[in-house]
Structures are given as structure tokens and as C-alpha cells.
Amino acid sequence: MKLGYYSNTTHFDHDVGDMHPEHPMRIIAINHQLERLGIFHDVYKGGEQQIVRQDLLRAHELGYIEQLQTMSPANGSILASIDTPMAVGSLGVAYKAAGCVVEALDDLLQNKIERAFCAIRPPGHHAEKNKLMGFCFLNNVAIAARKAQQVYGLERIAIIDFDVHQGNGTIDILANDPAFLICSSFQHPSFPFSHWRNIYANVINTPLNGGTGGLEMRRAVESQWLKQLQDFKPQLTIVSAGFDAHTDDPIGGLNWTESDYAWLGSFLSAINKEGSSNKILAVLEGGYNLDALAASCGEFITAFKD
Ligand SMILES: [Zn+2]
């Protein structure tokens, strides 16, 4: 399988202080690990594409985008929501991150590559149609999903979210649209404290008690997602790849290890393997212990790229 890796150095401009867990060293740690694993030897590298307004507006309301522009500080930083600082360069970085993911989508659907990993920040899966929260401004995954549907005409797109937090933003944007099957595992109860019962026809929520380990997660994924995904026959799978369910993560409260992310990578790679299309676009979300993030990410990419 040909792997594409999408990242850029613009993310350094989204700097909200060393004390904030969502900081630029996260991407550096991932890059070092992939270098060590030799993954960069045979990879297509991208990440410089600019987002266009049309792409944003398939997932977010115009008023919300205008609100982000209005609140973006001319210098220093502000608290854009209770948990989301916004520095002078943050919005530009968020645009660049979304552009990165759309570039990866374009390359996948134009058959340049078969797997893509986007090492981007800020994350996106908490951003709703018209609300920022949880370190997220723009919902990168939903922006790509809507373009895949509305521009490329895909009719079955699976969204997998294994971040320790529920992808409430992705659900807000894509719920009740049968073109999408959203499978989301998350610690419960925990942030973002939104709907966790299965109230939407196209959303499978998999809440996990604090302390849940990898074996229990694997059992839940196999029993709750596997058949649904096989029956759905996705033409494209988009992954909210958060690594904050790792046992060493300072924010999450689950007990997964690197090997569980390798298992998830293999699990996703095997979905629809017999079908004509098995394209996977994985997008970085959370993960705040640098060593655990780098190791988990390395294991996941190693497993999902083949
Ligand atoms: Zn998270």
C-alpha cells in the first residue's frame, strides 16, 4: 500500500504556552518516531495545500467562520472557549491543518496513495457546526468527509473515532446522514459530556468505563463495529486518530497500550479488504504524553499502512 504523510511546520504558530498539553512538540515527537521506524523511507509527503472557503462551508456555518475571524487576536492570545486558547497565529494554523486533510483526501481519491496519515494540530473532532471547544476550531474530519460525499460523490463513508473523548463535533455535523457510518469509542462519563446513547441511526457510540483496558476495547469494537462496517462496505474510511486512551496519557483515563493501537490499525486495514476500495484517511486528534503518543502513532501507522 502506498502511504501518504501530511504535515507542515506552520503548526508552530499555534503556540498557547508550554503548559498547555496541546503543544507543537507533539508533532515533533511523532516525526522522530516515524523516522526511527524507517517509515519515511517509502512515503509520499504532502501538507502544504491551502484550504478554500467552499471546503469549510460544507461542514461549518458561514457565521461561525466569520466569528472565528472576528475573535482571532491581533497579538497575544485569548481564551476562545473555557478550554480552548487562541493565539495570534492559531486560526491560520487551523486553516492549514484543514487544508492538509483535504489535500490527503484529494490524493487518496485521485489514486495517488492508498493510505494517508495527517499529523496536524490543532485537533478537530470536538468542533461542531457552529461551536469551538476542546482545543478544536475546525472539524478536519467532517470537512474531508463532506468533500468526499459532495464533490467526489462517495455514498458510503465510515468515520472511526478512537480518541478517549467522544467526537461530538463530528456527530453534530454528520448525524442522520446515511452516507456516513460513525463509530466512536470513548471514556464515559468524561468530556465532552454530550449524547452518548445511540440516538442517531448512523452513529454507534461505544462508551467505556474509566480504566478500561485494551482487551475489553477490542471485544467491544469487534462486537459493536465489525459487522456494521462490513455490511456498510465503506468506499472510504476516515479516522479520528486520537492516542489519549493510552494508559500513560495525562488527560485520558483508559488503560490502552501501543499494541492496542497496532491492533486498531490492523482492524481498520482489514475492513472491506475484499472490496475494490480500501482507502483510509487517518487524522491526528488527541494524545498528550509525548512518548506514548509517538509510540502509539508509530504502531498504528505501521499496522494500517499494509
Ligand atoms: Zn481526546
Side-chain angles (χ1 to χ4, degrees):
M1 293 278 179
K2 186 67 184 168
L3 173 70
Y5 183 75
Y6 296 80
S7 196
N8 57 65
T9 54
T10 309
H11 71 88
F12 284 104
D13 293 340
H14 176 47
D15 186 351
V16 290
D18 292 345
M19 299 306 288
H20 196 279
E22 205 290 280
H23 55 75
M25 287 308 291
R26 300 175 64 232
I27 307 296
I28 305 297
I30 292 171
N31 284 337
H32 284 169
Q33 180 69 4
L34 298 185
E35 194 76 61
R36 269 195 293 273
L37 293 171
I39 287 174
F40 286 148
H41 289 321
D42 183 28
V43 75
Y44 173 83
K45 281 192 177 177
E48 294 301 329
Q49 188 167 301
Q50 300 293 333
I51 192 77
V52 296
R53 178 169 273 234
Q54 233 177 335
D55 289 338
L56 298 175
L57 296 182
R58 291 187 198 99
H60 295 285
E61 290 177 2
L62 176 60
Y64 172 66
I65 300 298
E66 289 173 344
Q67 183 197 345
L68 287 177
Q69 287 164 346
T70 303
M71 74 192 333
S72 180
N75 47 56
S77 65
I78 60 164
L79 210 47
S81 77
I82 193 163
D83 53 14
T84 311
M86 186 184 210
V88 58
S90 297
L91 188 56
V93 176
Y95 284 149
K96 193 77 182 174
C100 226
V101 179
V102 169
E103 179 183 344
L105 175 83
D106 290 341
D107 287 348
L108 271 171
L109 297 185
Q110 292 165 20
N111 298 316
K112 193 184 278 184
I113 51 170
E114 287 163 89
R115 298 279 193 273
F117 188 87
C118 299
I120 54 158
R121 51 181 296 276
H125 71 151
H126 294 306
E128 299 185 349
K129 211 173 296 165
N130 55 17
K131 184 180 178 186
L132 68 94
M133 59 188 284
F135 316 162
C136 302
F137 301 97
L138 299 171
N139 195 310
N140 305 306
V141 159
I143 289 167
R146 280 289 187 215
K147 182 166 186 182
Q149 174 194 31
Q150 294 178 7
V151 176
Y152 288 96
L154 268 53
E155 295 173 340
R156 298 180 312 281
I157 300 161
I159 311 281
I160 305 292
D161 189 328
F162 55 73
D163 190 277
V164 79
H165 305 105
Q166 188 204 40
N168 62 292
T170 311
I171 293 171
D172 176 66
I173 296 167
L174 303 178
N176 285 332
D177 186 331
F180 306 101
L181 174 63
I182 303 172
C183 302
S184 182
S185 65
F186 49 89
Q187 183 180 345
H188 174 76
S190 181
F191 181 88
F193 303 103
S194 41
H195 295 296
W196 59 275
R197 294 182 195 281
N198 290 324
I199 58 173
Y200 303 111
N202 68 329
V203 178
I204 304 172
N205 281 308
T206 301
L208 303 168
N209 293 327
T212 295
L215 287 180
E216 208 174 319
M217 174 275 287
R218 297 180 195 195
R219 277 198 289 269
V221 164
E222 280 179 333
S223 66
Q224 296 177 35
W225 298 0
L226 180 58
K227 185 170 185 326
Q228 311 266 18
L229 285 166
Q230 285 171 335
D231 291 349
F232 186 65
K233 296 189 185 353
Q235 297 159 296
L236 169 71
T237 298
I238 307 181
V239 186
S240 268
F243 298 93
D244 42 7
H246 192 283
T247 188
D248 292 337
D249 193 89
I251 292 182
L254 298 184
N255 284 326
W256 303 3
T257 64
E258 297 89 289
S259 65
D260 296 311
Y261 293 102
W263 183 86
L264 279 164
S266 301
F267 173 83
L268 294 176
S269 194
I271 298 292
N272 202 28
K273 201 139 200 166
E274 74 285 359
S276 57
S277 171
N278 190 24
K279 296 181 188 300
I280 305 178
L281 167 57
V283 180
L284 181 66
E285 300 285 359
Y288 304 101
N289 174 300
L290 294 184
D291 291 341
L293 168 65
S296 303
C297 204
E299 291 290 312
F300 175 75
I301 293 175
T302 300
F304 105 119
K305 72 183 178 61
D306 295 319

